[in-house]
Amino acid sequence: MDTRTEKARKLWEDRAGSYDSGGRYEPPAILRTRALLCGGARGRTLEVAVGTGRNLEYYPPQVKLTGLDLSPAMLSRARDRAEEQGRPVSLVEGDAQRMSFADRSFDTVVCVLALCAVPDQERALAEMHRVLVPGGRLLLVDHIEYTRFPFRLRERLRKHPRRLPRAVAEEVGFEVGHHDRLLLGLVERLVAHRPR
């Protein structure tokens, strides 16, 4: 694990205990998006950066769900939540930039408000593409305030500058079927698939 990823891991370990308290203030548009994207999952589904499991309640019951997260503390909370809900889920500690899953392991990959926190967006999206079956779907929503002036000036100084998830997804091989913006353009939502 590189230094930036280790730093991110420590950050989420420290935030795990209080993370869910912020959900009380989440805008209704984000709550609807969580339900919409997770509700669209089919078959073997991977949620990248599952965190404390805030999205577990939105998945259809027939989905075979795997949750990946960098933080053991976050996964512990997700495990408790899954037990409370009676939701079968396989929870795996791991890095979105270097997933341990075999190629073509999942029918759906979901990533909700987490890509912006991954040190290398491109590598993470390439991994999501790799683990999807041909025709598999990517369901993603993420903060994109860093693409606006003046934030994008600071972003250019990073080793791996963050860019619009849609543009990066297309570069790594996804075909974007739908995208739109929420919350005054500060959040981008997209549905894409790995071509057959």
Side-chain angles (χ1 to χ4, degrees):
M1 191 178 298
D2 64 35
T3 305
R4 293 174 308 134
T5 305
E6 186 58 49
K7 186 176 176 182
R9 182 176 189 262
K10 176 158 181 10
L11 173 75
W12 295 112
E13 283 285 282
D14 293 346
R15 290 186 180 175
S18 60
Y19 182 75
D20 286 330
S21 62
R24 292 186 299 236
Y25 308 106
E26 199 163 64
I30 296 297
L31 291 173
R32 285 191 303 273
T33 294
R34 286 181 186 276
L36 179 70
L37 292 182
C38 297
R42 299 292 180 265
R44 296 164 300 164
T45 297
L46 171 65
E47 183 175 342
V48 174
V50 70
T52 62
R54 284 170 67 177
N55 297 321
L56 295 179
E57 66 183 286
Y58 301 119
Y59 287 100
Q62 67 275 18
V63 163
K64 185 176 181 194
L65 185 60
T66 300
L68 175 78
D69 205 277
L70 194 57
S71 162
M74 288 282 199
L75 288 171
S76 176
R77 291 187 172 270
R79 194 168 288 107
D80 292 344
R81 182 172 266 147
E83 287 175 12
E84 287 170 13
Q85 294 177 9
R87 172 85 213 188
V89 59
S90 172
L91 296 169
V92 178
E93 182 182 340
D95 182 355
Q97 302 163 115
R98 292 176 191 84
M99 294 190 224
S100 60
F101 308 112
D103 295 357
R104 302 175 180 197
S105 296
F106 297 99
D107 303 297
T108 308
V109 171
V110 177
C111 187
V112 177
L113 303 175
L115 189 63
C116 59
V118 175
D120 189 338
Q121 273 181 324
E122 184 176 355
R123 181 186 265 169
L125 278 163
E127 280 289 278
M128 292 179 208
H129 185 274
R130 180 185 67 76
V131 300
L132 273 172
V133 298
R137 292 174 50 173
L138 170 67
L139 306 169
L140 184 142
V141 61
D142 208 48
H143 303 285
I144 58 167
E145 71 281 353
Y146 53 81
T147 64
R148 296 180 123 177
F149 185 83
F151 305 110
R152 72 173 172 251
L153 298 176
R154 185 178 70 177
E155 200 59 37
R156 290 179 186 161
L157 302 175
R158 293 172 55 127
K159 182 176 180 182
H160 297 282
R162 293 173 295 178
R163 297 181 298 124
L164 284 176
R166 173 176 26 103
V168 181
E170 288 172 339
E171 286 175 15
V172 301
F174 283 105
E175 289 184 4
V176 175
H178 172 82
H179 67 90
D180 59 3
R181 299 240 179 119
L182 308 168
L183 303 177
L184 304 174
L186 297 176
V187 172
E188 182 173 71
R189 180 168 58 179
L190 69 91
V191 176
H193 71 277
R194 176 177 172 166
R196 292 190 181 275

